[in-house]
Amino acid sequence: MATQQTFSIIKPDATRRNLTGAVNQKFEENGLRIVAQKRIQMTREQAEGFYAVHKERPFFGELVDFMISEPVVVQVLEGENAVLKNREIMGATNPEEADAGTIRKEFALSIGENSVHGSDSEENAAIEIAYFFNKDELVG
Ligand code: ATP
Ligand code: MG
């Protein structure tokens, strides 16, 4: 499996509790390299566009409100098999179902306030990276 890039967001419940470094430590100690990173305040339009695939889901409004409630940290993570590896480091969407040692088990508050986002495929990773980063912000 070749080196891959995946897109990550440290969500408002984690930035609010000053857990950016603790989350990043999980990525780094599990072999993912943070090759781009910025702290931003997402606009409603950005959040609605990013989560457009979920717009018919009952939690869509709540999800968008949450994602714009406080700053987030958007990131590009790189490493062997990075998309799948990051999903493993994050743990299950619902922290009650997440494995021990995962970010969501250790830090998430609920299924909505679950501390991190990670791309679910290499194709979506490329789309999501381009949604938040210009090419010149990816310096390896
Ligand atoms: P993410 O896309 O954020 O990495 P995921 O792929 O594990 O998470 P999705 O099914 O894509 O989960 O849902 C996107 C996000 O929507 C979840 O991370 C969570 O914040 C929120 N969400 C999902 N299900 C619910 C729910 N039942 N109630 C409230 N929020 C939810
Ligand atoms: Mg998802």
Side-chain angles (χ1 to χ4, degrees), residues 11 51 54 59 63 87 90 93 104 111-112 114 117-118:
K11 294 185 178 182
Y51 280 118
H54 294 309
F59 57 81
L63 175 60
R87 301 287 298 186
M90 289 162 56
T93 309
R104 284 167 166 167
I111 191 168
N114 61 0
H117 161 85

Side-chain angles (χ1 to χ4, degrees), residues 11-14 16-17 62-63 66 69 93 95 104 107-116:
K11 294 185 178 182
D13 67 283
R16 187 178 73 228
R17 289 177 291 149
E62 182 190 326
L63 175 60
F66 168 59
S69 66
T93 309
R104 284 167 166 167
F107 304 127
L109 300 175
S110 65
I111 191 168
E113 299 199 38
N114 61 0
S115 302
V116 279

Side-chain angles (χ1 to χ4, degrees), residues 40-119:
I40 61 166
Q41 173 65 55
M42 246 196 245
T43 64
R44 181 168 295 278
E45 292 66 34
Q46 258 178 325
E48 286 176 351
F50 182 74
Y51 280 118
V53 292
H54 294 309
K55 70 174 181 292
E56 307 304 331
R57 309 272 285 272
F59 57 81
F60 180 71
E62 182 190 326
L63 175 60
V64 169
D65 287 346
F66 168 59
M67 293 299 288
I68 66 174
S69 66
E70 303 254 359
V72 298
V73 176
V74 293
Q75 313 176 292
V76 181
L77 308 178
E78 187 175 278
E80 281 289 295
N81 207 9
V83 172
L84 194 63
K85 182 179 275 183
N86 186 38
R87 301 287 298 186
E88 289 170 3
I89 297 167
M90 289 162 56
T93 309
N94 183 349
E96 288 176 14
E97 292 163 12
D99 288 340
T102 61
I103 291 169
R104 284 167 166 167
K105 184 67 177 187
E106 289 194 14
F107 304 127
L109 300 175
S110 65
I111 191 168
E113 299 199 38
N114 61 0
S115 302
V116 279
H117 161 85
S119 306

